[in-house]
Amino acid sequence: MTKLIVTRPRPQCAAWLARLAELGVKAVALPLIEILPARDPAPVAAAWAGLEQVDLAVFVSPNAVEQFFQHADRPWPTGTLAACVGPGSAQALIEHGVPAGQVVQPAADAASLDSEHLWQQLSPRRAWAGARVLLLRGDGGREWLAERLSAAGAHVEAVTTYHRSGPRFDAAEQALLDAVRAEPTGFVWLFSSAEAVGHLQHLALAGQRAIATHERIAEAARAAGFHPVVLARPAPEAVTQALKGL
């Protein structure tokens, strides 16, 4: 039976493996990005302290949610919206106490889950001139949504809630890589980050099959030599369907 290699950061792998198992998919974890706390926690704590004066907090990933809420010292304010691009982030926000009615994300039938489709939901929600917006992210990332909000007159402040590093494989993970090299047809890679793909480019894995959760990630996988590469929404159910297609 083909094994799916889940490359998401370590904190998210367990939930993905459990849900995939329920769907009948044999999956293994090989985290390709390590998530570490912000090098300077002071701005994160300050962001929490001033959250009641913020109109919108944008979380770029579940990692941003988890790391930001490490500093939580009060309930989520009733006047602050929380926005994200994927269902994993939305679920994490709700689990941390953000009311579902205050969570904004792309439409369920959006062509893809990204900043562009999130903006389609945010843009008509209110006049953004003068609004205070927090962009909660790792070290770096796309500026597209911040630019749209700024162009609409919002005051956008980016806060680094975590930083990323390359993978640090333990003995079991190294053994998994060896197994993939020995029997490449027995595995399919699942990529949720173009950066993660980049961490594999020195490992001579070209020609192996992959599923990517966004076209930009698929392009990176193809450029690295993976083939075929198919698209799926970042949800276990959609990934399961894509896997059956491969």
Side-chain angles (χ1 to χ4, degrees), residues 20-47:
L20 288 165
E22 292 173 355
L23 295 167
V25 175
K26 192 168 186 179
V28 291
L30 187 68
L32 294 180
I33 296 176
E34 294 290 339
I35 302 299
L36 302 171
R39 293 182 176 90
D40 182 3
V44 189

Side-chain angles (χ1 to χ4, degrees), residues 52-135:
E52 291 184 356
Q53 285 73 52
V54 170
D55 299 292
L56 170 68
V58 180
F59 294 84
V60 302
S61 68
N63 302 307
V65 176
E66 296 301 330
Q67 294 297 324
F68 187 61
F69 275 87
Q70 293 294 319
H71 298 263
D73 59 0
R74 68 198 74 184
W76 189 263
T78 57
T80 304
L81 295 174
C84 58
V85 297
S89 298
Q91 184 60 36
L93 286 166
I94 292 168
E95 289 174 355
H96 280 290
V98 181
Q102 290 174 243
V103 177
V104 185
Q105 59 181 316
D109 59 352
S112 61
L113 303 180
D114 52 25
S115 296
E116 288 82 349
H117 289 85
L118 175 56
W119 179 238
Q120 289 180 5
Q121 301 300 311
L122 288 172
S123 177
R125 187 121 187 176
R126 55 162 289 170
W128 289 101
R132 290 195 59 194
V133 178
L134 281 178
L135 178 60

